[in-house]
PDB file of all heavy atoms in Angstrom:
ATOM      1  N   PRO A 334      38.920  41.860 -19.278  1.00 97.00           N
ATOM      2  CA  PRO A 334      39.686  40.945 -18.404  1.00 97.00           C
ATOM      3  C   PRO A 334      38.868  39.839 -17.689  1.00 97.00           C
ATOM      4  O   PRO A 334      39.381  39.087 -16.897  1.00 97.00           O
ATOM      5  CB  PRO A 334      40.212  41.858 -17.355  1.00 97.00           C
ATOM      6  CG  PRO A 334      39.203  42.913 -17.203  1.00 97.00           C
ATOM      7  CD  PRO A 334      38.557  43.017 -18.586  1.00 97.00           C
ATOM      8  N   LEU A 335      37.574  39.686 -18.059  1.00 97.00           N
ATOM      9  CA  LEU A 335      36.745  38.616 -17.402  1.00 97.00           C
ATOM     10  C   LEU A 335      36.782  37.431 -18.491  1.00 97.00           C
ATOM     11  O   LEU A 335      35.817  37.115 -19.129  1.00 97.00           O
ATOM     12  CB  LEU A 335      35.304  39.103 -17.139  1.00 97.00           C
ATOM     13  CG  LEU A 335      35.219  40.362 -16.333  1.00 97.00           C
ATOM     14  CD1 LEU A 335      33.882  40.701 -16.003  1.00 97.00           C
ATOM     15  CD2 LEU A 335      36.094  40.119 -15.041  1.00 97.00           C
ATOM     16  N   THR A 336      37.941  36.940 -18.697  1.00 97.00           N
ATOM     17  CA  THR A 336      38.296  36.191 -19.915  1.00 97.00           C
ATOM     18  C   THR A 336      37.709  34.759 -19.914  1.00 97.00           C
ATOM     19  O   THR A 336      38.065  33.888 -19.125  1.00 97.00           O
ATOM     20  CB  THR A 336      39.756  36.092 -20.105  1.00 97.00           C
ATOM     21  OG1 THR A 336      40.283  37.398 -19.970  1.00 97.00           O
ATOM     22  CG2 THR A 336      40.142  35.553 -21.428  1.00 97.00           C
ATOM     23  N   GLY A 337      36.866  34.514 -20.938  1.00 98.00           N
ATOM     24  CA  GLY A 337      36.395  33.156 -21.196  1.00 98.00           C
ATOM     25  C   GLY A 337      37.206  32.490 -22.300  1.00 98.00           C
ATOM     26  O   GLY A 337      38.173  33.077 -22.809  1.00 98.00           O
ATOM     27  N   SER A 338      36.761  31.234 -22.599  1.00 98.00           N
ATOM     28  CA  SER A 338      37.400  30.496 -23.736  1.00 98.00           C
ATOM     29  C   SER A 338      36.490  30.493 -24.950  1.00 98.00           C
ATOM     30  O   SER A 338      35.286  30.319 -24.764  1.00 98.00           O
ATOM     31  CB  SER A 338      37.732  29.085 -23.347  1.00 98.00           C
ATOM     32  OG  SER A 338      38.427  29.013 -22.058  1.00 98.00           O
ATOM     33  N   HIS A 339      36.999  30.682 -26.121  1.00 98.00           N
ATOM     34  CA  HIS A 339      36.247  30.884 -27.311  1.00 98.00           C
ATOM     35  C   HIS A 339      36.851  29.893 -28.408  1.00 98.00           C
ATOM     36  O   HIS A 339      38.008  29.849 -28.575  1.00 98.00           O
ATOM     37  CB  HIS A 339      36.158  32.272 -27.884  1.00 98.00           C
ATOM     38  CG  HIS A 339      35.854  33.285 -26.850  1.00 98.00           C
ATOM     39  ND1 HIS A 339      36.777  33.652 -25.864  1.00 98.00           N
ATOM     40  CD2 HIS A 339      34.837  34.067 -26.597  1.00 98.00           C
ATOM     41  CE1 HIS A 339      36.265  34.599 -25.113  1.00 98.00           C
ATOM     42  NE2 HIS A 339      35.040  34.833 -25.528  1.00 98.00           N
ATOM     43  N   VAL A 340      35.906  29.317 -29.192  1.00 98.00           N
ATOM     44  CA  VAL A 340      36.435  28.382 -30.230  1.00 98.00           C
ATOM     45  C   VAL A 340      35.285  28.196 -31.300  1.00 98.00           C
ATOM     46  O   VAL A 340      34.085  28.170 -30.943  1.00 98.00           O
ATOM     47  CB  VAL A 340      36.877  27.039 -29.742  1.00 98.00           C
ATOM     48  CG1 VAL A 340      35.772  26.276 -29.114  1.00 98.00           C
ATOM     49  CG2 VAL A 340      37.662  26.250 -30.759  1.00 98.00           C
ATOM     50  N   LEU A 341      35.707  28.197 -32.613  1.00 98.00           N
ATOM     51  CA  LEU A 341      34.844  27.721 -33.665  1.00 98.00           C
ATOM     52  C   LEU A 341      34.919  26.215 -33.744  1.00 98.00           C
ATOM     53  O   LEU A 341      36.052  25.684 -33.875  1.00 98.00           O
ATOM     54  CB  LEU A 341      35.304  28.365 -34.939  1.00 98.00           C
ATOM     55  CG  LEU A 341      34.634  27.819 -36.235  1.00 98.00           C
ATOM     56  CD1 LEU A 341      33.140  28.124 -36.262  1.00 98.00           C
ATOM     57  CD2 LEU A 341      35.375  28.345 -37.463  1.00 98.00           C
ATOM     58  N   LEU A 342      33.836  25.585 -33.434  1.00 98.00           N
ATOM     59  CA  LEU A 342      33.875  24.066 -33.488  1.00 98.00           C
ATOM     60  C   LEU A 342      34.228  23.596 -34.872  1.00 98.00           C
ATOM     61  O   LEU A 342      33.910  24.201 -35.862  1.00 98.00           O
ATOM     62  CB  LEU A 342      32.540  23.489 -33.084  1.00 98.00           C
ATOM     63  CG  LEU A 342      32.079  23.941 -31.640  1.00 98.00           C
ATOM     64  CD1 LEU A 342      30.722  23.332 -31.376  1.00 98.00           C
ATOM     65  CD2 LEU A 342      33.121  23.439 -30.628  1.00 98.00           C
ATOM     66  N   PRO A 343      34.895  22.390 -34.931  1.00 98.00           N
ATOM     67  CA  PRO A 343      35.295  21.904 -36.285  1.00 98.00           C
ATOM     68  C   PRO A 343      34.134  21.791 -37.252  1.00 98.00           C
ATOM     69  O   PRO A 343      33.050  21.341 -36.890  1.00 98.00           O
ATOM     70  CB  PRO A 343      35.895  20.520 -35.850  1.00 98.00           C
ATOM     71  CG  PRO A 343      36.317  20.678 -34.520  1.00 98.00           C
ATOM     72  CD  PRO A 343      35.279  21.535 -33.910  1.00 98.00           C
ATOM     73  N   LEU A 344      34.419  22.081 -38.549  1.00 98.00           N
ATOM     74  CA  LEU A 344      33.470  22.122 -39.517  1.00 98.00           C
ATOM     75  C   LEU A 344      33.270  20.766 -40.124  1.00 98.00           C
ATOM     76  O   LEU A 344      34.286  19.883 -40.147  1.00 98.00           O
ATOM     77  CB  LEU A 344      33.865  23.095 -40.643  1.00 98.00           C
ATOM     78  CG  LEU A 344      34.199  24.492 -40.172  1.00 98.00           C
ATOM     79  CD1 LEU A 344      34.619  25.328 -41.391  1.00 98.00           C
ATOM     80  CD2 LEU A 344      32.984  25.187 -39.387  1.00 98.00           C
ATOM     81  N   ASP A 345      32.159  20.442 -40.589  1.00 98.00           N
ATOM     82  CA  ASP A 345      31.901  19.111 -41.155  1.00 98.00           C
ATOM     83  C   ASP A 345      31.020  19.357 -42.456  1.00 98.00           C
ATOM     84  O   ASP A 345      29.960  19.830 -42.474  1.00 98.00           O
ATOM     85  CB  ASP A 345      31.086  18.309 -40.192  1.00 98.00           C
ATOM     86  CG  ASP A 345      30.838  16.837 -40.596  1.00 98.00           C
ATOM     87  OD1 ASP A 345      31.115  16.523 -41.759  1.00 98.00           O
ATOM     88  OD2 ASP A 345      30.451  16.015 -39.730  1.00 98.00           O
ATOM     89  N   PRO A 346      31.578  18.857 -43.629  1.00 98.00           N
ATOM     90  CA  PRO A 346      30.805  18.915 -44.909  1.00 98.00           C
ATOM     91  C   PRO A 346      29.488  18.182 -44.849  1.00 98.00           C
ATOM     92  O   PRO A 346      28.563  18.554 -45.529  1.00 98.00           O
ATOM     93  CB  PRO A 346      31.770  18.333 -45.867  1.00 98.00           C
ATOM     94  CG  PRO A 346      32.814  17.558 -45.128  1.00 98.00           C
ATOM     95  CD  PRO A 346      32.933  18.130 -43.773  1.00 98.00           C
ATOM     96  N   ALA A 347      29.423  17.133 -43.976  1.00 97.00           N
ATOM     97  CA  ALA A 347      28.093  16.342 -43.925  1.00 97.00           C
ATOM     98  C   ALA A 347      27.034  17.304 -43.209  1.00 97.00           C
ATOM     99  O   ALA A 347      25.856  17.003 -43.344  1.00 97.00           O
ATOM    100  CB  ALA A 347      28.337  15.118 -43.122  1.00 97.00           C
ATOM    101  N   LYS A 348      27.463  18.329 -42.468  1.00 96.00           N
ATOM    102  CA  LYS A 348      26.506  19.231 -41.913  1.00 96.00           C
ATOM    103  C   LYS A 348      26.433  20.614 -42.571  1.00 96.00           C
ATOM    104  O   LYS A 348      26.169  21.630 -42.050  1.00 96.00           O
ATOM    105  CB  LYS A 348      26.928  19.484 -40.353  1.00 96.00           C
ATOM    106  CG  LYS A 348      26.900  18.165 -39.588  1.00 96.00           C
ATOM    107  CD  LYS A 348      27.367  18.454 -38.146  1.00 96.00           C
ATOM    108  CE  LYS A 348      27.330  17.201 -37.338  1.00 96.00           C
ATOM    109  NZ  LYS A 348      27.864  17.499 -35.948  1.00 96.00           N
ATOM    110  N   ASP A 349      26.912  20.490 -43.915  1.00 96.00           N
ATOM    111  CA  ASP A 349      26.952  21.763 -44.741  1.00 96.00           C
ATOM    112  C   ASP A 349      27.881  22.827 -44.145  1.00 96.00           C
ATOM    113  O   ASP A 349      27.543  24.013 -44.260  1.00 96.00           O
ATOM    114  CB  ASP A 349      25.491  22.232 -44.933  1.00 96.00           C
ATOM    115  CG  ASP A 349      25.400  23.191 -46.102  1.00 96.00           C
ATOM    116  OD1 ASP A 349      26.263  23.117 -46.983  1.00 96.00           O
ATOM    117  OD2 ASP A 349      24.453  24.115 -46.151  1.00 96.00           O
ATOM    118  N   TYR A 350      28.928  22.379 -43.498  1.00 97.00           N
ATOM    119  CA  TYR A 350      29.900  23.283 -42.886  1.00 97.00           C
ATOM    120  C   TYR A 350      29.277  24.260 -41.910  1.00 97.00           C
ATOM    121  O   TYR A 350      29.672  25.479 -41.819  1.00 97.00           O
ATOM    122  CB  TYR A 350      30.650  24.023 -43.934  1.00 97.00           C
ATOM    123  CG  TYR A 350      31.464  23.124 -44.838  1.00 97.00           C
ATOM    124  CD1 TYR A 350      31.043  22.836 -46.190  1.00 97.00           C
ATOM    125  CD2 TYR A 350      32.685  22.626 -44.479  1.00 97.00           C
ATOM    126  CE1 TYR A 350      31.788  22.034 -47.021  1.00 97.00           C
ATOM    127  CE2 TYR A 350      33.397  21.809 -45.325  1.00 97.00           C
ATOM    128  CZ  TYR A 350      32.983  21.452 -46.636  1.00 97.00           C
ATOM    129  OH  TYR A 350      33.708  20.656 -47.413  1.00 97.00           O
ATOM    130  N   ALA A 351      28.263  23.788 -41.162  1.00 97.00           N
ATOM    131  CA  ALA A 351      27.612  24.729 -40.172  1.00 97.00           C
ATOM    132  C   ALA A 351      28.683  25.235 -39.289  1.00 97.00           C
ATOM    133  O   ALA A 351      29.465  24.548 -38.639  1.00 97.00           O
ATOM    134  CB  ALA A 351      26.530  24.003 -39.455  1.00 97.00           C
ATOM    135  N   HIS A 352      28.698  26.581 -39.020  1.00 98.00           N
ATOM    136  CA  HIS A 352      29.570  27.226 -38.119  1.00 98.00           C
ATOM    137  C   HIS A 352      28.916  27.352 -36.774  1.00 98.00           C
ATOM    138  O   HIS A 352      27.975  28.037 -36.628  1.00 98.00           O
ATOM    139  CB  HIS A 352      29.992  28.568 -38.720  1.00 98.00           C
ATOM    140  CG  HIS A 352      31.038  28.579 -39.709  1.00 98.00           C
ATOM    141  ND1 HIS A 352      31.015  27.741 -40.811  1.00 98.00           N
ATOM    142  CD2 HIS A 352      32.213  29.279 -39.914  1.00 98.00           C
ATOM    143  CE1 HIS A 352      32.036  27.931 -41.598  1.00 98.00           C
ATOM    144  NE2 HIS A 352      32.761  28.842 -41.032  1.00 98.00           N
ATOM    145  N   GLU A 353      29.523  26.685 -35.712  1.00 98.00           N
ATOM    146  CA  GLU A 353      29.010  26.758 -34.351  1.00 98.00           C
ATOM    147  C   GLU A 353      30.156  27.307 -33.515  1.00 98.00           C
ATOM    148  O   GLU A 353      31.293  26.831 -33.560  1.00 98.00           O
ATOM    149  CB  GLU A 353      28.613  25.387 -33.849  1.00 98.00           C
ATOM    150  CG  GLU A 353      27.393  24.823 -34.675  1.00 98.00           C
ATOM    151  CD  GLU A 353      26.925  23.569 -33.977  1.00 98.00           C
ATOM    152  OE1 GLU A 353      26.100  23.672 -32.932  1.00 98.00           O
ATOM    153  OE2 GLU A 353      27.273  22.403 -34.405  1.00 98.00           O
ATOM    154  N   ILE A 354      29.808  28.239 -32.655  1.00 98.00           N
ATOM    155  CA  ILE A 354      30.747  28.898 -31.760  1.00 98.00           C
ATOM    156  C   ILE A 354      30.496  28.448 -30.376  1.00 98.00           C
ATOM    157  O   ILE A 354      29.342  28.315 -29.880  1.00 98.00           O
ATOM    158  CB  ILE A 354      30.597  30.402 -31.750  1.00 98.00           C
ATOM    159  CG1 ILE A 354      30.653  30.957 -33.251  1.00 98.00           C
ATOM    160  CG2 ILE A 354      31.612  31.089 -30.883  1.00 98.00           C
ATOM    161  CD1 ILE A 354      31.955  30.790 -33.931  1.00 98.00           C
ATOM    162  N   LEU A 355      31.549  28.025 -29.658  1.00 98.00           N
ATOM    163  CA  LEU A 355      31.418  27.662 -28.238  1.00 98.00           C
ATOM    164  C   LEU A 355      32.201  28.671 -27.396  1.00 98.00           C
ATOM    165  O   LEU A 355      33.323  28.989 -27.656  1.00 98.00           O
ATOM    166  CB  LEU A 355      32.109  26.293 -28.006  1.00 98.00           C
ATOM    167  CG  LEU A 355      32.120  25.749 -26.615  1.00 98.00           C
ATOM    168  CD1 LEU A 355      30.711  25.379 -26.149  1.00 98.00           C
ATOM    169  CD2 LEU A 355      33.014  24.496 -26.507  1.00 98.00           C
ATOM    170  N   VAL A 356      31.607  29.229 -26.377  1.00 98.00           N
ATOM    171  CA  VAL A 356      32.154  30.172 -25.386  1.00 98.00           C
ATOM    172  C   VAL A 356      31.972  29.634 -24.032  1.00 98.00           C
ATOM    173  O   VAL A 356      30.836  29.369 -23.534  1.00 98.00           O
ATOM    174  CB  VAL A 356      31.517  31.499 -25.484  1.00 98.00           C
ATOM    175  CG1 VAL A 356      32.173  32.537 -24.636  1.00 98.00           C
ATOM    176  CG2 VAL A 356      31.624  32.000 -26.968  1.00 98.00           C
ATOM    177  N   CYS A 357      33.058  29.415 -23.254  1.00 98.00           N
ATOM    178  CA  CYS A 357      32.963  28.840 -21.942  1.00 98.00           C
ATOM    179  C   CYS A 357      33.700  29.686 -20.925  1.00 98.00           C
ATOM    180  O   CYS A 357      34.749  30.119 -21.143  1.00 98.00           O
ATOM    181  CB  CYS A 357      33.636  27.399 -21.997  1.00 98.00           C
ATOM    182  SG  CYS A 357      32.644  26.201 -22.798  1.00 98.00           S
ATOM    183  N   GLY A 358      33.061  29.743 -19.733  1.00 98.00           N
ATOM    184  CA  GLY A 358      33.750  30.430 -18.598  1.00 98.00           C
ATOM    185  C   GLY A 358      33.713  31.866 -18.741  1.00 98.00           C
ATOM    186  O   GLY A 358      33.069  32.525 -19.537  1.00 98.00           O
ATOM    187  N   GLY A 359      34.581  32.571 -17.867  1.00 97.00           N
ATOM    188  CA  GLY A 359      34.666  33.989 -17.675  1.00 97.00           C
ATOM    189  C   GLY A 359      34.552  34.227 -16.214  1.00 97.00           C
ATOM    190  O   GLY A 359      34.998  33.334 -15.365  1.00 97.00           O
ATOM    191  N   SER A 360      34.234  35.382 -15.835  1.00 96.00           N
ATOM    192  CA  SER A 360      34.205  35.729 -14.366  1.00 96.00           C
ATOM    193  C   SER A 360      32.887  36.614 -14.072  1.00 96.00           C
ATOM    194  O   SER A 360      32.475  37.315 -15.028  1.00 96.00           O
ATOM    195  CB  SER A 360      35.452  36.503 -13.971  1.00 96.00           C
ATOM    196  OG  SER A 360      35.443  36.783 -12.572  1.00 96.00           O
ATOM    197  N   GLU A 361      32.444  36.461 -12.874  1.00 95.00           N
ATOM    198  CA  GLU A 361      31.225  37.190 -12.483  1.00 95.00           C
ATOM    199  C   GLU A 361      31.419  38.697 -12.404  1.00 95.00           C
ATOM    200  O   GLU A 361      30.570  39.481 -12.804  1.00 95.00           O
ATOM    201  CB  GLU A 361      30.736  36.753 -11.097  1.00 95.00           C
ATOM    202  CG  GLU A 361      30.185  35.359 -11.060  1.00 95.00           C
ATOM    203  CD  GLU A 361      29.840  34.849  -9.676  1.00 95.00           C
ATOM    204  OE1 GLU A 361      30.251  35.537  -8.746  1.00 95.00           O
ATOM    205  OE2 GLU A 361      29.068  33.866  -9.515  1.00 95.00           O
ATOM    206  N   ALA A 362      32.639  39.203 -11.993  1.00 95.00           N
ATOM    207  CA  ALA A 362      32.847  40.559 -11.826  1.00 95.00           C
ATOM    208  C   ALA A 362      34.413  40.815 -11.764  1.00 95.00           C
ATOM    209  O   ALA A 362      35.245  39.886 -11.569  1.00 95.00           O
ATOM    210  CB  ALA A 362      32.237  41.065 -10.559  1.00 95.00           C
ATOM    211  N   MET A 363      34.736  42.151 -11.919  1.00 96.00           N
ATOM    212  CA  MET A 363      36.176  42.471 -11.892  1.00 96.00           C
ATOM    213  C   MET A 363      36.620  42.765 -10.540  1.00 96.00           C
ATOM    214  O   MET A 363      36.945  43.834 -10.125  1.00 96.00           O
ATOM    215  CB  MET A 363      36.375  43.639 -12.813  1.00 96.00           C
ATOM    216  CG  MET A 363      37.755  43.939 -13.134  1.00 96.00           C
ATOM    217  SD  MET A 363      38.063  45.279 -14.343  1.00 96.00           S
ATOM    218  CE  MET A 363      39.715  45.663 -14.046  1.00 96.00           C
ATOM    219  N   THR A 364      36.671  41.636  -9.723  1.00 97.00           N
ATOM    220  CA  THR A 364      37.220  41.780  -8.315  1.00 97.00           C
ATOM    221  C   THR A 364      38.051  40.540  -8.137  1.00 97.00           C
ATOM    222  O   THR A 364      37.906  39.493  -8.790  1.00 97.00           O
ATOM    223  CB  THR A 364      36.115  41.809  -7.229  1.00 97.00           C
ATOM    224  OG1 THR A 364      35.530  40.510  -7.159  1.00 97.00           O
ATOM    225  CG2 THR A 364      35.008  42.814  -7.652  1.00 97.00           C
ATOM    226  N   THR A 365      39.046  40.565  -7.305  1.00 97.00           N
ATOM    227  CA  THR A 365      39.846  39.516  -6.942  1.00 97.00           C
ATOM    228  C   THR A 365      39.265  38.351  -6.265  1.00 97.00           C
ATOM    229  O   THR A 365      39.772  37.280  -6.101  1.00 97.00           O
ATOM    230  CB  THR A 365      41.142  40.004  -6.113  1.00 97.00           C
ATOM    231  OG1 THR A 365      40.682  40.602  -4.916  1.00 97.00           O
ATOM    232  CG2 THR A 365      41.908  40.982  -6.979  1.00 97.00           C
ATOM    233  N   HIS A 366      37.976  38.590  -5.744  1.00 96.00           N
ATOM    234  CA  HIS A 366      37.321  37.536  -4.996  1.00 96.00           C
ATOM    235  C   HIS A 366      36.039  36.963  -5.828  1.00 96.00           C
ATOM    236  O   HIS A 366      35.332  36.161  -5.342  1.00 96.00           O
ATOM    237  CB  HIS A 366      36.793  38.074  -3.643  1.00 96.00           C
ATOM    238  CG  HIS A 366      37.827  38.504  -2.798  1.00 96.00           C
ATOM    239  ND1 HIS A 366      38.875  37.680  -2.178  1.00 96.00           N
ATOM    240  CD2 HIS A 366      38.217  39.764  -2.418  1.00 96.00           C
ATOM    241  CE1 HIS A 366      39.731  38.315  -1.486  1.00 96.00           C
ATOM    242  NE2 HIS A 366      39.413  39.646  -1.595  1.00 96.00           N
TER     243      HIS A 366
END
Side-chain angles (χ1 to χ4, degrees):
L335 309 183
T336 309
S338 308
H339 311 72
V340 65
L341 169 67
L342 297 179
L344 308 179
D345 187 345
K348 299 177 181 178
D349 198 22
Y350 298 103
H352 281 49
E353 294 187 83
I354 308 295
L355 178 71
V356 182
C357 288
S360 186
E361 291 177 341
M363 192 174 164
T364 74
T365 56
H366 301 292

